[in-house]
Amino acid sequence: MEAPPDNDVLWARSLHYAHDGTPALAGVSVGVREGEILAVTGPRASGKTTLLQCLAGQLTPQSGEVWFNSSPVHTMGPLARERLRRDRFGWIDTEPQLVPELTAWENAALPLLLRGSPHRAAKTAAMEWLERLDVGDCARKRPAALLQSQRQRIAIARALASDPSVLFADEPSAPLHRADRAHVLRTLTTAARSHTITVVLATHDEEVAALADRTIALVDGRRVGSLAAAEKEGQAECSLSV
Amino acid sequence: MLALRLARGTHPIVLLRRLMVAAASAGVGFLLLCTLGHALGHPEAAGGSAARLLWCLVPLAAAMQLAVAVARTDPATRPQPGLSSVGLGPVGLALLAAASTAVSAAVGSALALFSFLYLRGDLGGEPFGGSVADVLGAGQPLPYAGVLTLLFVVPALTGAAVAVALRPRKPRPDNAKSPDPQKPVAAAGQPSAAHTTVSTGLPWGVALTAAGIALGTYASRTASSPSDGLLPLPGRLDTIPAGVVGGWVLIAIGLVLACPGLTHLCGRLLASGRPGALRLLAGRVLQEEAVRLGRPLGVLCAVASAALAASQLYGTALDSTGARLFGPLTGVGAAVVMACATATVLTVALETKGARIDTTAALGRIGVSSGLLRKAAALRAGVLVAVLAPMSWAVAELASLPLSR
């Protein structure tokens, strides 16, 4: 078994995954360097979310390898992967999936509390991040009383407050309006750069991808050189089948 | 027909829940038929038969509550993209749920009729040496119209209850899901509807329970105490003072009203101080689910109190008169009510779990272990038992105190 390159914090080789038989990933290899922001672009159903879930240890690839800091994620048991997700990874969903019963600051402090940090320290860290993301005044409200953009910022604060090594963001700006979208992405990328957090960002938006250091493109579960080339290929197939 | 087609492809657990509805309906139908049998066998005791019919309302209400809880949990009654794209919207789904509930209840009714006829000996043979047949009015010709009417009652009422409970309501501005995700659901603070119910329910519930206990005590003191048995269930409702029965009804209503508030208080207690993740998750979820979970829990508490009180009263009164106060039919009725109340609480607990499935998945993505979630659920259950069990016991003691003196 070949050891992963040293400068890559997260590294995957020839990942294959199928959701109940429907192929989602077909041999994707990718390396993420320490501290960089990597954008994964592609249209819907191109396997972006599945790739992120495989990298984050939420799904076990049916074949292929995932390495994080020279430890194999693909062979870990469920408990070890849970601990890895809790202690080293952050995750931001497309929709802000907050716990509806908890207030904003409790939501943001939840990962820290889960790690067993003391209540006061967790609250301080959570409040700090909420202030930094301009949602400090919503700290005592519940998610149901907030705007979608505020909720998404709280989800980002939750992911950042636990100071993860790698942050996975699955189209974090998709459900937002344009102004909110730009703001959310700017705060996310700025925070990641200032705290040297590695970010893997899935998006189908070319503008969003421009904020990243590096971009890889997926089409139909495969890595392609550029989206335009892949689309041409698809068109040729269409015209043949008519 | 669609209800039957959908039932064919459903998960065994869902079918098991519908089977519970069928069993409850069978129990209630059997009790109704037994009342008919009693009326046929004892035409002179019309008042007693009417009282028995009145007592049948309790299991009937329990069965209806169970049917509604099961229909709420049923995956077939949730808005489904597959059915809404063929034009079966919320109204259609409510009617579909009512139809499938009525079908389950009708199966139960058929079962009740079969066992009734068998025990009467109408199907040939003498089960239990004819000892039960006497209670059921054996030998008398059955009025078929009456039998059909009684058997029709349970499916019709449960179906109607489900249709009413699941009817699409206009989204209220304060607690419904906002159609536009960009807008907040409530302008400030909390989704208020749940919290006002909780905060107003508790004092009302406590007041009603206290009033019920006081009324029962007062009525039992002033009324001339009947010498033979205190509350001969069923059939001799007239021998206990109406005030005592009224007090018990008040206590039951009070418990149902108070339990959501108590559940909310339990949740607040759990999450008080400086909670860690476990207590925070357990307590806040309990606070949020207080209304949904509290009412069936209140019913269960009321039933448990009634059972405790009855066993205390009749445990001593059984042999003094020589008459069997706890007849087999009373036993069937009590079993139906208790089973329905317990099953309703379990079904509602399942419903809450189903409603939180998205949140649970999201928690899993940020690394919350399933063990922690299980621990939180166990903690919630433990706190609820620790608070509600002594309360039910205390209410039962207080309610039976004046009668057992």
Side-chain angles (χ1 to χ4, degrees):
Chain A
M1 195 181 285
E2 187 190 331
D6 284 342
N7 56 343
D8 282 359
V9 62
L10 193 65
W11 187 82
R13 196 173 65 179
S14 59
L15 291 178
H16 285 262
Y17 192 87
H19 294 286
D20 298 327
T22 312
L25 289 181
V28 176
S29 302
V30 62
V32 190
R33 289 177 208 129
E34 180 100 49
E36 78 168 344
I37 298 178
L38 174 72
V40 180
T41 62
R44 282 186 65 120
S46 58
K48 302 185 297 289
T49 303
T50 312
L51 176 62
L52 257 65
Q53 284 174 331
C54 282
L55 290 177
Q58 289 174 16
L59 298 175
T60 325
Q62 275 135 10
S63 71
E65 300 167 4
V66 181
W67 292 77
F68 170 69
N69 274 350
S70 316
S71 60
V73 178
H74 56 283
T75 56
M76 280 181 184
L79 195 69
R81 273 188 281 133
E82 246 162 35
R83 203 166 294 148
L84 182 71
R85 279 209 296 280
R86 195 184 69 197
D87 296 344
R88 310 302 300 274
F89 291 166
W91 180 272
I92 302 170
D93 269 305
T94 311
E95 299 280 333
Q97 298 277 13
L98 303 172
V99 185
E101 294 88 3
L102 303 183
T103 60
W105 80 259
E106 285 167 341
N107 262 300
L110 191 60
L112 285 171
L113 289 173
L114 283 170
R115 286 185 200 173
S117 7
H119 191 86
R120 192 185 296 271
K123 183 172 183 177
T124 317
M127 292 300 286
E128 222 167 78
W129 274 107
L130 289 177
E131 290 290 344
R132 224 169 277 178
L133 292 171
D134 282 348
V135 279
D137 51 336
C138 322
R140 304 211 148 269
K141 290 184 185 168
R142 299 211 184 171
L146 298 174
L147 298 169
Q148 182 85 335
S149 59
Q150 290 170 329
R151 279 180 237 160
Q152 188 63 299
R153 267 180 243 172
I154 291 163
I156 293 173
R158 176 175 73 178
L160 289 170
S162 55
D163 197 18
S165 309
V166 185
L167 179 61
F168 298 93
D170 183 13
E171 305 210 31
S173 58
L176 303 180
H177 288 169
R178 298 184 65 84
D180 292 327
R181 187 179 299 183
H183 190 182
V184 158
L185 283 170
R186 213 176 314 123
T187 44
L188 177 62
T189 47
T190 314
R193 283 191 211 285
S194 60
H195 289 69
T196 55
I197 296 170
T198 313
V199 178
V200 184
L201 179 73
T203 178
H204 63 262
D205 193 346
E206 292 294 330
E207 285 175 40
V208 176
L211 290 168
D213 300 324
R214 203 155 60 88
T215 303
I216 63 167
L218 288 183
V219 168
D220 298 344
R222 287 192 180 78
R223 258 187 89 163
V224 291
S226 71
L227 283 178
E231 257 162 38
K232 249 179 225 160
E233 197 180 302
Q235 278 165 2
E237 271 172 24
C238 278
S239 60
L240 279 178
S241 64
V242 171
Chain B
M1 274 318 284
L2 182 60
L4 289 178
R5 281 287 174 85
L6 288 174
R8 215 176 54 178
T10 35
H11 196 264
I13 301 255
V14 179
L15 284 181
L16 189 73
R17 272 182 255 149
R18 291 205 189 140
L19 216 60
M20 287 195 311
V21 175
S25 146
V28 178
F30 183 72
L31 287 173
L32 286 170
L33 288 178
C34 288
T35 313
L36 182 69
H38 180 264
L40 286 176
H42 310 85
E44 71 285 352
S49 299
R52 278 166 182 253
L53 197 59
L54 276 183
W55 276 112
C56 284
L57 287 182
V58 181
L60 181 61
M64 280 164 69
Q65 194 204 11
L66 175 65
V68 169
V70 166
R72 281 228 173 93
T73 332
D74 207 313
T77 63
R78 264 179 231 135
Q80 292 177 358
L83 286 177
S84 91
S85 60
V86 296
L88 205 58
V91 181
L93 279 176
L95 292 180
L96 189 67
S100 57
T101 309
V103 166
S104 312
V107 170
S109 284
L111 210 66
L113 178 64
F114 178 75
S115 49
F116 179 67
L117 290 179
Y118 173 73
L119 286 176
R120 263 169 64 96
D122 286 359
L123 301 179
E126 284 261 297
F128 304 115
S131 60
V132 206
D134 180 43
V135 188
L136 304 179
Q140 310 281 337
L142 270 182
Y144 287 102
V147 169
L148 284 182
T149 311
L150 284 181
L151 287 182
F152 184 69
V153 163
V154 185
L157 282 182
T158 47
V162 167
V164 169
L166 295 184
R167 75 186 186 281
R169 270 163 256 197
K170 272 189 188 161
R172 275 190 294 179
D174 49 2
N175 69 344
K177 249 190 187 171
S178 169
D180 182 5
Q182 297 287 342
K183 278 190 181 163
V185 197
Q190 298 307 314
S192 47
H195 289 262
T196 36
T197 318
V198 165
S199 52
T200 58
L202 186 57
W204 272 108
V206 172
L208 277 180
T209 310
I213 291 172
L215 181 64
T217 315
Y218 181 71
S220 67
R221 197 163 52 92
T222 51
S224 57
S225 189
S227 55
D228 59 337
L230 300 153
L231 178 67
L233 277 158
R236 280 185 258 169
L237 194 62
D238 42 347
T239 56
I240 50 159
V244 175
V245 176
W248 286 24
V249 169
L250 274 186
I251 291 173
I253 295 174
L255 281 178
V256 172
L257 279 180
C259 257
L262 275 177
T263 316
H264 192 264
L265 269 184
C266 289
R268 179 170 285 187
L269 211 68
L270 258 181
S272 59
R274 298 184 183 282
L278 176 66
R279 281 205 292 133
L280 195 64
L281 281 176
R284 287 295 152 81
V285 171
L286 202 54
Q287 273 175 295
E288 201 65 19
E289 299 296 343
V291 174
R292 199 192 326 223
L293 201 59
R295 286 193 190 132
L297 270 177
V299 171
L300 186 62
C301 282
V303 169
S305 296
L308 274 175
S311 69
Q312 270 173 359
L313 293 177
Y314 295 131
T316 53
L318 245 180
D319 297 323
S320 58
T321 55
R324 288 196 57 175
L325 297 177
F326 259 139
L329 299 185
T330 322
V332 170
V336 166
V337 172
M338 281 193 263
C340 280
T342 315
T344 307
V345 169
L346 292 180
T347 313
V348 170
L350 265 184
E351 185 195 347
T352 25
K353 191 184 167 196
R356 296 178 42 77
I357 207 155
D358 285 343
T359 312
T360 312
L363 283 175
R365 280 195 288 275
I366 64 166
V368 178
S369 63
S370 49
L372 185 87
L373 293 177
R374 269 198 295 274
K375 265 187 224 159
L379 191 62
R380 283 198 288 273
V383 166
L384 280 181
V385 168
V387 170
L388 296 184
M391 187 200 69
S392 306
W393 178 79
V395 168
E397 283 288 321
L398 285 175
S400 63
L401 200 61
L403 289 174
S404 56
R405 248 187 330 189

